[in-house]
Structure formats: C-alpha cells, structure tokens
Amino acid sequence: MKRRRIRFDTVGLILPALVLLLWFAVTAWGGMPEYKLPSPQKLLYVLADFATGRLGITPYSGTLWGHLFHSLRRVAGGFALAAACGLALGFLSGRIPLARRLVDPLIHLVRTIPGIGWLPVAIVWFGIGEGNTLFLIALASFFPIYLNTVHGTSQVPEVTLRAGQMLGAKGFTLFRTVVLPAAFPDVAVGLRLGLGVAWAYLVLGEVTGVTEGLGAVMTDGRMLGHVDIVLATMIVIACVGKLTDWLLLAACRAVCPQMRRGRDVP
C-alpha cells in the first residue's frame, strides 16, 4: 500500500517573503510612520498580546479567542444555510430543466446586486446583530455554491447516466451513485468559493453594531486609531480562513476519494 507524500511547494513562499522584506524596509528605512503602518516586529507583538494577554500593549489584550469563537459561529451558521439551499436548488436546477427555467432568472438577477447594497435592507429586516450578519453571509455564499452545483450536475455525460440506468439505478439511487460522484468536483469548488465569501462578508456583517467578533474588533480598532490591531485581525482572518478551507477540502476528499491530490488545490 502506497503512502501519499504531502508535498509542500516552497515556490508559494517567495512572494510572501518579498512582501515581508519590503514591509520591513519601508517601516525601518522608508520613513513610514508607525500609526499608518506598524513594523512587522510591532505587529508580531500585537498578535502575541491579542492571543495571550501577557504584554498588555493594546486594549484588546487576550481577547482573540472569544472574538474568534463568535466569528466562527457566524461563519458556520451562514455557510451551512447557504450550502443547504445552494446544493438543494443547484441539484434540482441541474437535473430538471423546468426547475432551472423557473429558478435561474431570478437568482442571476439577484446576484448582480452588490453585497453592500443589501446591508441597509438587512438592518431593517433583521436589526443590528446576529440575524443581519447571518443573512449577509448566507446570501453571499449561496451564489457560488448554487452556480457550481448547477454546472457540475448539468454536465454529467448522458452516456454515464444511461450506463447507470442499464445497471438498474433509478431515482435517488441513480443520483447517489452516478450524478453526485460525477458532479462533486464542481460542487466542491462551489463550496470552497462559498466559504471564502462567507469570511469576507463576515466583516461586513460585524461592522454594523455587533460588539463581539473579529469584524467588530477591526471596526473598533479603526475608530480608535489602532491600525496595528486592524492588521492583526486581518492576519487572523486570513489564517483561520485558510485553515477552514483545508478542513473543507479534506472533508470533500473523504466524500469523493477520486478527487486527485495536487490538482484541486490552488
């Protein structure tokens, strides 16, 4: 039995390293004031204090994990709602032409509205708080999940469907054994895109009066002039967002083992 080697592409470190060097040079010798762009060393201290609370250099000392918990809960809730609706409608529209003719025009019409345009309406409908944030996350995540599911489901070759029917697969059995495995790579792409959008819209939802969450910290830090904590929060969101993407990809590979390693990871 062959063991899969986990290969790490070091080429991906080149650009981050160059950005870090440029950042260090600009803050050390370029005359960039710290209140506009703190140095990498300062930001590292802020991150450590944000997580541990041992340095006491910002008002947000030791508050990272509580804010992260609330943000993760909101992302998970909004993404789960978007996935449930997007997958259900996507599979129906992908396999039933009448459903696609009914649903597609409205969805393509609504998805052209920018997310920020929904913000005042969401505040009126759900007020300031959890409902508003969950609505924005779910709405934005829904579209890539739906579109990729429709594409993958509708592109299943007819010869594959006929082969399954010849082997006795009908109805839900045909969907589970033929349609779903064939469409799943596209479905996985949609889920990953939707999760990325969920993290982006988390910040939009949390800047509207929510008191706990990473987006709330970013808003508060901006108002108080703490650019360092704003950048630290952005780094946390990027890292946690990437981690959740890895976890989702691992789950997709568990569901669909034929997704080949190395070709489906950007």
Side-chain angles (χ1 to χ4, degrees):
M1 181 178 179
K2 285 187 176 181
R3 291 185 178 180
R4 287 182 175 178
R5 293 182 180 179
I6 300 176
R7 293 179 294 178
F8 183 76
D9 188 3
T10 55
V11 174
L13 296 176
I14 295 176
L15 279 179
L18 290 175
V19 170
L20 187 61
L21 286 172
L22 179 61
W23 180 7
F24 179 82
V26 167
T27 54
W29 305 300
M32 177 67 70
E34 193 173 85
Y35 71 89
K36 287 187 176 180
L37 181 65
S39 66
Q41 307 95 299
K42 172 67 181 300
L43 194 58
L44 186 61
Y45 289 137
V46 171
L47 276 168
D49 181 56
F50 192 24
T52 65
R54 293 182 179 179
L55 301 176
I57 56 178
T58 71
Y60 314 95
S61 178
T63 61
L64 168 62
W65 306 111
H67 291 298
L68 179 58
F69 170 78
H70 289 286
S71 291
L72 279 170
R73 178 169 53 81
R74 291 173 185 131
V75 167
F79 176 72
L81 182 59
C85 296
L87 292 175
L89 285 176
F91 284 128
L92 283 174
S93 297
R95 296 309 310 162
I96 303 175
L98 178 59
R100 188 169 186 176
R101 290 167 60 192
L102 284 171
V103 173
D104 243 26
L106 178 61
I107 289 179
H108 284 283
L109 183 68
V110 173
R111 77 184 183 90
T112 60
I113 302 173
I116 193 69
W118 286 100
L119 185 57
V121 178
I123 292 175
V124 172
W125 287 350
F126 302 101
I128 296 175
E130 297 292 325
N132 170 45
T133 306
L134 289 175
F135 170 77
L136 290 172
I137 293 173
L139 180 68
S141 302
F142 167 82
F143 298 113
I145 296 173
Y146 169 81
L147 292 173
N148 280 275
T149 302
V150 170
H151 179 266
T153 307
S154 63
Q155 295 301 311
V156 178
E158 191 64 29
V159 65
T160 304
L161 293 172
R162 289 178 182 174
Q165 291 169 341
M166 290 178 61
L167 293 172
K170 296 180 181 179
F172 181 74
T173 303
L174 180 66
F175 170 78
R176 180 177 58 84
T177 58
V178 178
V179 176
L180 183 59
F184 197 80
D186 288 291
V187 173
V189 171
L191 290 171
R192 295 180 67 193
L193 289 172
L195 182 59
V197 171
W199 279 105
Y201 274 75
L202 167 77
V203 176
L204 178 62
E206 288 185 338
V207 300
T208 57
V210 175
T211 58
E212 294 178 304
L214 296 174
V217 174
M218 291 179 68
T219 304
D220 195 44
R222 177 186 60 83
M223 295 178 66
L224 295 178
H226 284 280
V227 179
D228 49 6
I229 198 66
V230 173
L231 292 173
T233 308
M234 290 170 63
I235 292 173
V236 171
I237 291 175
C239 293
V240 177
K242 184 59 179 176
L243 176 60
T244 55
D245 178 67
W246 280 337
L247 293 174
L248 177 61
L249 183 58
C252 289
R253 285 184 179 141
V255 172
C256 185
Q258 62 263 40
M259 288 176 61
R260 288 181 290 179
R261 181 177 296 275
R263 293 195 177 184
D264 54 345
V265 186

